[in-house]
Amino acid sequence: MQVWPGQAYPLGATYDGAGTNFAVFSEAADRVELCLLHDDGSETAVELRESDAFVRHAYLPGIMPGQRYGYRAHGPYEPARGLRCNSAKLLLDPYARAISGRIDWTEAVYGYPFGKPDERNDLDSAPHMMASVVVNPYFDWADDRLPRTEYHETVLYEAHVKGLTMLHPALPDELRGTYAALAHPAVIEHLTELGVTALELMPVHQFVNDHRLVDMGLNNYWGYNTIGFFAPHNTYASWGDRGEQVLEFKSAVRALHQAGIEVILDVVYNHTAEGNDLGPTLSYKGLDNASYYRLAEDPRYYMDTTGTGNSLLMRSPHVLQMIMDSLRYWVEEMHVDGFRFDLAATLARQFHEVDRLSSFFDLVQQDPVVSRVKLIAEPWDVGEGGYQVGNFPPLWTEWNGKYRDTVRDLWRGEPRTLAEFAGRLTGSSDLYQDDGRRPLASINFVTCHDGFTLHDLVAYNDKHNDANGEGNRDGESHNRSWNCGAEGDTDDPEVLDLRARQMRNFVATLMLSQGVPMLSHGDEFARTQGGNNNAYCQDNEVAWLRWADADAPPEPFLEFTRAMVRLRREHPVFRRRRFFHGRPVEGTHDELSDIAWFTPEGEEMTQRDWGAAQASALSVFLNGNAISEPGARGERILDDSFLLLFNASPEELEFVVPVDHGRQWQAVVDTALPTGLPPSDGEKVQAGDRLMLAARSLTVLRRPA
């Protein structure tokens, strides 16, 4: 076999049409072997003799796409010094563009004999390991263009590749649960009819099923257990895992883009699947443990701010390079439109504390590729000082956990909620205005993959996670949920009516709020997980979306959700790019303020009204004539004006329509109705009229511009 010196960059396996260049970083190893794996179980070892700045490299003519390979790192196994090289372990390439197979959990994949972590385990792991794969980078993108939907026009839809598509009745069996299913016309039609502009996919980086879950007969369904930051997860491919998963993912992105839908990836750069000191040796540990991981004062152990056993070392130039290379790869080669960063506070821990000026944010800010796509932070981790909502740099948007909590509290009847609710409804200026950000920095959500579904939020007071095998100890215990009078399934029509009304309240509030709304997949169908609020290991019908019969008429709640998304899309007053001023806007010739707050009696709210412990109702006037930002062509934006009437109290209340903010109004939303939508030719409402709002309901009145 011919072996040429090759190049140290790019890292990974790079096919050029005639052969493949291999490059891998390891400062800890004395020498590194490239192992070409054959279908009969044998391997050919090639020592990487060339080294530049600890990057070992070689070029092998004739090595084609589909070739499986791995590395063996020869060097010291001294956990007390943070060194875990072990040539008996076949290691995945950290830059592998595809990964084949699965892990067969035996003692061989661990770097140490069971029960003796300070000793080296010399069992060969190759027969039990996944393998890296050389891929063909060439793909016909045709005329694919990134939609580049602006944030103020964005509606996010968080979804799981398998959970979204596994039970869709219109999909062929062989496509269900795969990337190809995302590209199927039936799935895309649902997303476009719903009004979704961006599909936020739960992890599709190659991940590993935990040994513990496999032993219990479960799977790591969510996928927050990454082992390959460049490789699409192989079991989501319908027709092979030797590079086919790359082509299939690209095809899905291309189809979604053709429908105007962006693709955003939920990425897990805070830890890897190798776990703590008792975890397996799959890649990074064996190549250079101390360069990849944040080690404790005793280097046998790992610092863990993620709750998973380890944290990547965010001050290591090699970790930072890997993350930035990965992000650019997914944008440039896979054409994705942005990222949601799991436990993003860990990425800011350059040393111990969270630092918004850390090297990672500096690199993102100046990067000409990554800085141009959507960057969404989950702004917390489990370490000290990890809750950082509102503290990320100006380029970033954030999952707003305070929005979720406040909206849940209002509608379940918690006291002293009204003032904070007003702030969340108007874009959370207390979190984002002081650092130059705008309402669109707030990703608003009521539910997501983690926690109750929307249906379960109004059907359960307590979590029911026994199927997870942890004695119902896992998952959040304080869910800010309310079962409306009965725990779980019930035939009580009053309870069912209230639950349906509460779901309409949540979706309506979400779509009427300033910021960027995010729906969780299946909530539009009132999807239930039977009260399981931590379905991370439920790769089954507990977590999969059960679609309605294609021949049946749309469910009323699905129609209501579509209508609320449409109302938001058609009216820029609900998706402002700047915060309200609370006064008339200069140059508009409108003496009314851009926003005004009223008691149910139609009087302007006072400090006493805001501070009342049991206050749970108010009206909000949104002035469509006073949108201060210009339109796309520089013209001033004009819109209809709206009056939002919120009654979160347990009793029906009478609301007075303010007399000075419009003479005549038309009801366009009433969540007390079974459909949530009043007839378009319904009775007009006059200034000064008195309206009765049902308990726990909201009404939206529209005044034409």
Side-chain angles (χ1 to χ4, degrees), residues 31 154 405 517:
R31 60 189 183 93
T154 295
D405 295 346

Side-chain angles (χ1 to χ4, degrees), residues 160-168 176-177 219 221 236 453 521-522 527-529 535 537-547:
H160 187 283
V161 172
K162 190 172 185 180
L164 177 65
T165 64
M166 193 64 186
L167 299 180
H168 198 300
R176 294 183 181 187
N219 288 322
Y221 167 68
Y236 295 159
T453 65
H521 85 249
R527 180 175 75 89
T528 180
Q529 293 180 166
C537 58
Q538 297 300 320
D539 189 4
N540 50 51
E541 294 194 18
V542 170
W544 299 343
L545 169 57
R546 290 178 288 278
W547 291 77

Side-chain angles (χ1 to χ4, degrees), residues 191-209:
L191 297 176
T192 54
E193 288 184 354
L194 188 58
V196 168
T197 70
L199 190 62
E200 184 177 303
L201 293 176
M202 291 174 65
V204 299
H205 286 175
Q206 183 69 51
F207 60 87
V208 170
N209 277 323

Side-chain angles (χ1 to χ4, degrees), residues 427-504:
S428 296
S429 60
D430 61 322
L431 300 177
Y432 304 114
Q433 192 169 28
D434 62 350
D435 58 10
R437 288 191 283 177
R438 295 182 174 180
L440 301 169
S442 178
I443 305 298
N444 298 330
F445 66 105
V446 177
T447 59
C448 64
H449 70 274
D450 190 0
F452 283 142
T453 65
L454 186 61
H455 171 279
D456 292 357
L457 184 66
V458 300
Y460 293 91
N461 285 348
D462 303 305
K463 62 185 179 182
H464 297 266
N465 298 354
D466 294 299
N468 295 354
E470 299 182 43
N472 205 36
R473 294 183 299 273
D474 62 303
E476 177 61 58
S477 296
H478 182 47
N479 294 282
R480 291 181 161 89
S481 62
W482 179 46
N483 64 19
C484 298
E487 186 74 358
D489 293 338
T490 181
D491 295 326
D492 188 324
E494 291 187 5
V495 172
L496 294 174
D497 177 68
L498 178 55
R499 288 178 179 177
R501 188 158 73 251
Q502 287 284 73
M503 287 196 298
R504 291 191 291 270

